[in-house]
Amino acid sequence: MESYRIEGGAPLSGAVRVDGAKNAALPACIASLLTDERVVLHRVPQLRDVSTILYTLGALGGRVVRHADHVSISACGSLSEEADAYSVRQMRASFLVLGPLVARLGQAVVPLPGGCAIGRRPIDLHLDGLKALGARVAEKEGAVVVTAERLRGARIELSYPSVGATEQILMAASLAKGETVIENGAVEPEVEDLARLLRKMGAEIEVVDRTYRVAGASRLRGAEHELIPDRMEAGTLLLAGAVTGGSVTVAGCRSDHLAPLLGLLESSGAGLTIDGEMVTVRGPVRPLPVDVVTAPHPGFPTDLHPPLAAYLSLAAGASSLVEAVFEGRFAYTDALCAMGARITRTGAALTIGGVESLNGRAVAATDIRGGAAMVLAGLAADGYTTVTQLEHIERGYARLEEKLVSLGARIERDDE
Ligand code: EPZ
C-alpha cells in the first residue's frame, strides 16, 4: 500500500514548474479521433488519467506513440466504434470519445460512465446535444449506442454550462454538416484550448461570451499543439505555499487562468507577485477568513475547493464555502476534521471555523482534489501525517511529492 509520510511544520520556499493541464490533455487526445492524420500534443502530463485515455485510444485502433514530453496519435486505419468498458469505468472523461466516434464512423458504442466520489454526474446534456445534431441515441446493456449517417448542424442551448457536454458537442459539430450554435457553453480555459486545437485541425469555431459558432468540415486534418498549463496543479502548489506560511513561486503558469484563486489569496492576507508566467505567493502568519461559492469559469473552480478548505481551516475566523457544482464533493472533510479542523456542513454550504493548528493523522485520499487537501493539511500540521490511497491523487498530480520536496517539504513516499 503506497502512502505519503509527511512531517508538518516546514514553511515551503522556492520555485516549481507546473505541467500541462490534465483537463486539457484528455479532450485534446480524444480529438485525434476526428482525423486520420497525426495529432501531436506537447506538454502532456505524466498522469494516470492520461495513460488511461491513451490506452482507450489504442484499444479503439489509434496508433499512439508517447515520448518524454509529447504524444503523437494517429487514428488512421480501421477504427473500432466500441469503447473499452474498463477504461470508461476507470475515468469518466473517456465518455468524450462518443461524439468524435459517431461523427467519424456514423456509429459509437460507449459504456455509461456512472457516478463518482464527487457526485451523480449525469450525461443528459451530452446525449441531448448529440440528438440535436441528428443522432439516434439508445441504451443497450449498460452502454449508449449512438448512430447517424452524418451529423448536421443545430442550435443547442445548454441548461448548464457543462465542461464535458460543451467539449463533446464541439468535437461532434466540427465534422457535422452546416453550422452549430452552442449557447450557454462552458468557457473554462481547457475548453478554449480544445477549440484552439480543433481550429488547427480545420474546424471554424468562434466564441462570444458563452456562445460558440461551429462551421463543420467534411474532413479534419492533423495538427501540432502545446497544451495550456495546469491551473489546478498551480493553484494547489500556491495553496501549499500559503498554508505553510512559506514563499512559493509557480513557474510556467497563466495568472489570468488563476484569477479567482489569486483574488481570494489576497483577501486572505497572502502576498502575491505576478511576473509573466511566474506567480509568487507569500503565506500570511494566519489567513483571514473569506467566503466563496464555487461556479463555472470565470467563477471559483470547484477543483480548488478542497485545497482551499485545507488552507482556510487555519484561518483567524470562520469562512463559508458553498459547493455549487458537485453535490458530493465533501468526503475529504472527515479527514480534515480528524486532523482537528472545525468544519460543519449544511447542505452544500460548509462553515470552516478557523483553528490555530492541525494535528498529523493517518488519512486516506477519497478523490483527486480531496487527496490534495489532505496533503496540504499534513504539510501544515503538527507531527506526522500519512496519506494512503495515492492512486486518487496520482490521477491528477504528476510527481507531487518530488515537487513538494523541491520546495523544502518533509514528505516521502512509502511503497510498502
Ligand atoms: C470537468 O468535469 C472536469 N473534468 C472536472 O475536473 C471539473 O470539476 C468539472 O469539469 C467542472 O469544472 C475534466 O475536464 C476531465 P461538468 P465534467 O460537465 O465535464 C452537471 C478534476 O478533479 N451535468 O461541467 O464532468 C454535473 O452533474 C475533475 O480534475 C449535468 O447535469 O463537469 C455537474 O453538477 C473532477 N448533465 C455540473 O454539470 C450533464 O450532461 C458540472 O459538470 C453534464 C453535467
Side-chain angles (χ1 to χ4, degrees):
M1 178 163 66
E2 297 152 324
S3 66
Y4 288 148
R5 190 174 145 76
I6 307 168
E7 184 187 351
L12 301 191
S13 67
V16 61
R17 186 176 161 76
V18 282
D19 282 311
K22 166 181 82 79
N23 292 344
L26 303 178
C29 290
I30 292 169
S32 67
L33 291 171
L34 292 165
T35 175
D36 55 3
E37 293 182 15
R38 204 160 63 116
V39 170
V40 178
L41 301 172
H42 293 273
R43 213 171 172 180
V44 177
Q46 301 272 352
L47 288 171
R48 194 179 279 256
D49 275 7
V50 171
S51 307
T52 303
I53 206 64
L54 294 178
Y55 169 81
T56 310
L57 297 173
L60 285 167
R63 212 177 292 153
V64 176
V65 184
R66 193 166 190 173
H67 307 265
D69 65 344
H70 70 278
V71 166
S72 121
I73 309 165
S74 306
C76 51
S78 68
L79 278 187
S80 160
E81 57 204 29
E82 193 149 346
D84 172 77
Y86 170 78
S87 47
V88 175
R89 303 250 154 82
Q90 287 287 309
M91 183 187 64
R92 290 180 52 78
S94 316
F95 188 70
L96 293 179
V97 300
L98 188 66
L101 282 178
V102 71
R104 176 99 184 268
L105 306 175
Q107 168 137 330
V109 182
V110 179
L112 287 162
C116 80
I118 63 174
R120 269 181 327 104
R121 306 187 78 173
I123 48 159
D124 54 320
L125 299 174
H126 296 242
L127 301 182
D128 291 350
L130 292 173
K131 284 181 202 160
L133 294 174
R136 286 178 300 285
V137 176
E139 224 179 278
K140 193 173 150 228
E141 294 154 15
V144 275
V145 182
V146 180
T147 50
E149 276 76 50
R150 170 121 197 244
L151 296 173
R152 59 171 193 280
R155 183 183 156 275
I156 299 165
E157 179 158 5
L158 294 177
S159 55
Y160 183 91
S162 150
V163 169
T166 306
E167 293 170 337
Q168 184 88 265
I169 299 166
L170 269 179
M171 291 193 278
S174 297
L175 275 180
K177 192 170 178 354
E179 182 180 77
T180 296
V181 177
I182 307 171
E183 284 172 5
N184 198 30
V187 289
E188 269 66 5
E190 297 77 19
V191 181
E192 290 186 347
D193 202 38
L194 174 65
R196 256 192 298 278
L197 170 60
L198 292 171
R199 285 191 199 101
K200 286 181 186 170
M201 295 170 71
E204 284 171 42
I205 302 178
E206 284 167 27
V207 196
V208 178
D209 298 332
R210 288 188 178 284
T211 300
Y212 290 82
R213 265 177 204 284
V214 186
S218 53
R219 194 177 167 280
L220 293 176
R221 57 178 180 263
E224 188 149 357
H225 182 68
E226 172 155 338
L227 299 169
I228 56 171
D230 197 317
R231 64 193 168 111
M232 302 311 169
E233 185 196 15
T236 303
L237 292 166
L238 289 169
L239 283 162
V243 79
T244 58
S247 171
V248 162
T249 298
V250 174
C253 68
R254 290 272 305 264
S255 57
D256 53 334
H257 294 170
L258 289 161
L261 172 68
L262 301 183
L264 271 179
L265 279 170
E266 272 188 326
S267 315
S268 74
L272 274 180
T273 309
I274 297 173
D275 176 8
E277 294 194 334
M278 301 227 282
V279 175
T280 302
V281 67
R282 290 171 298 283
V285 177
R286 215 171 156 201
L288 300 169
V290 293
D291 299 334
V292 56
V293 180
T294 65
H297 191 82
F300 187 84
T302 171
D303 292 347
L304 288 178
H305 148 191
L308 178 72
Y311 172 60
L312 294 176
S313 63
L314 288 163
S319 305
S320 91
L321 195 160
V322 177
E323 173 51 58
V325 179
F326 288 113
E327 74 284 358
R329 189 155 231 174
F330 303 103
Y332 73 94
T333 57
D334 295 346
L336 263 59
C337 289
M339 297 174 76
R342 257 188 311 120
I343 303 177
T344 52
R345 179 179 161 204
T346 317
L350 294 179
T351 302
I352 307 173
V355 296
E356 295 218 353
S357 62
L358 295 171
N359 311 309
R361 283 291 297 252
V363 292
T366 47
D367 56 273
I368 302 174
R369 312 301 170 184
M374 295 172 201
V375 170
L376 266 55
L379 292 170
D382 300 337
Y384 289 90
T385 297
T386 54
V387 182
T388 53
Q389 300 189 160
L390 300 186
E391 64 277 10
H392 292 294
I393 298 175
E394 290 172 349
R395 286 188 51 200
Y397 296 95
R399 297 172 295 107
L400 181 61
E401 88 272 8
E402 254 177 61
K403 289 175 183 163
L404 291 171
V405 165
S406 76
L407 295 171
R410 296 182 291 218
I411 177 170
E412 59 186 12
R413 190 196 169 85
D414 200 347
D415 291 335
E416 244 180 67

